[in-house]
Amino acid sequence: MDQSGRIQSRLNAVMERITKAAVRSGRDPGTIALVTVGKTQSVETIGHAISAGARIIGENYIQEAREKWDALFHRQVQWHYIGHLQSNKAKFAVRLFDLIHSADSLKLIAELNKQAAKIGKIQDILIQVNLSGEATKSGTNEAGAVDLIGHLKQFENIRPLGLMTMPPFFNAPEKARPFFAALRHLRDKIAGTENLALPHLSMGMTGDFEVAVEEGATLVRVGTAIFGDRR
């Protein structure tokens, strides 16, 4: 089987697993979207994924994403930014990405708002929450997420759509479940307090996305299960 065929087969398998996890938890599979993570993958490989049915491409690095976007902008696909974003890259992010998953500070959000206003865009964002407290992970804490959402009314060119998290790495997916449940509870709390529609929970990756779906994920970020281990 060639590379295109392998990607097609793996993508189909991931989508089937998402569907089964949704059905197990009484959810509509149509409410869950796969973010195909293109980190370190070539333009050609991402092109194969789009041909295989990928509808959202997630990227971690601005420069890498710019090269892929330039080559593939004509394809019918959304682009999501899922990596840590520095304020000085905000102008590139708002030009390239439909949704930014990793907004985690007032400074960054203010810059995203400024850059989005320059091009007449309403930038959709998710607030990244570091529920584990790990120093190696980006994101604000729970109290910080509540505070950030409360300040967003001042930004006319920012639209919050939900929350994102990355739990600690576990060999057993079930160990990640409490973190996914905690993000859902936090989202529900903020949505109720602020009277906001926050439809999205970005959580779950190759090793644990089925558990994330069972706990309410609407966006799962999967790369390795589709492209194989990174080299």
Side-chain angles (χ1 to χ4, degrees):
M1 187 181 295
D2 62 10
Q3 184 189 37
S4 178
R6 287 193 298 271
I7 291 172
Q8 179 77 71
S9 177
R10 290 168 176 170
L11 186 69
N12 290 347
V14 169
M15 292 302 300
E16 183 176 354
R17 290 168 63 188
I18 290 172
T19 296
K20 288 181 177 178
V23 171
R24 279 198 303 272
S25 52
R27 298 184 62 198
D28 175 2
T31 64
I32 303 142
L34 169 64
V35 179
T36 301
V37 178
K39 181 180 178 181
T40 75
Q41 303 300 329
S42 68
V43 169
E44 180 184 20
T45 298
I46 299 303
H48 287 321
I50 296 170
S51 296
R55 292 295 171 259
I56 304 173
I57 303 300
E59 290 292 338
N60 291 70
Y61 305 114
I62 291 293
Q63 184 57 43
E64 185 179 333
R66 288 174 69 183
E67 294 170 3
K68 294 173 189 175
W69 191 94
D70 286 343
L72 299 167
F73 73 92
H74 59 287
R75 304 292 296 272
Q76 293 298 308
V77 66
Q78 289 188 22
W79 295 84
H80 289 196
Y81 191 77
I82 61 176
H84 177 62
L85 182 61
Q86 296 175 321
S87 297
N88 63 358
K89 299 292 178 64
K91 64 180 178 181
F92 302 112
V94 299
R95 292 177 185 276
L96 298 176
F97 295 100
D98 300 286
L99 178 62
I100 295 170
H101 292 224
S102 50
D104 61 359
S105 72
L106 201 58
K107 176 184 177 183
L108 172 60
I109 292 169
E111 187 63 24
L112 289 170
N113 180 73
K114 175 183 174 182
Q115 298 298 332
K118 287 181 179 180
I119 61 172
K121 178 184 181 182
I122 304 299
Q123 179 63 58
D124 291 334
I125 66 167
L126 306 179
I127 302 299
Q128 183 174 356
V129 188
N130 184 348
L131 293 171
S132 67
E134 292 176 284
T136 56
K137 286 189 170 62
S138 300
T140 185
N141 58 24
E142 292 188 47
V146 173
D147 186 61
L148 278 178
I149 293 285
H151 280 90
L152 293 187
K153 295 181 181 68
Q154 66 183 286
F155 300 119
E156 295 183 355
N157 292 79
I158 293 293
R159 179 166 50 206
L161 292 184
L163 307 178
M164 183 267 254
T165 199
M166 294 177 63
F169 174 77
F170 297 111
N171 287 322
E174 280 297 324
K175 291 184 177 180
R177 188 181 294 275
F179 295 91
F180 299 145
L183 192 73
R184 185 183 74 249
H185 291 314
L186 178 62
R187 186 275 310 273
D188 292 347
K189 172 186 172 182
I190 294 173
T193 301
E194 297 293 334
N195 193 28
L196 278 175
L198 297 172
H200 285 303
L201 292 173
S202 171
M203 56 190 195
M205 298 186 289
T206 287
D208 53 24
F209 69 84
E210 288 154 303
V211 172
V213 168
E214 291 170 0
E215 291 298 333
T218 62
L219 296 162
V220 294
R221 312 179 304 270
V222 180
T224 301
I226 295 169
F227 300 117
D229 292 331
R230 297 189 188 96
R231 296 179 181 178

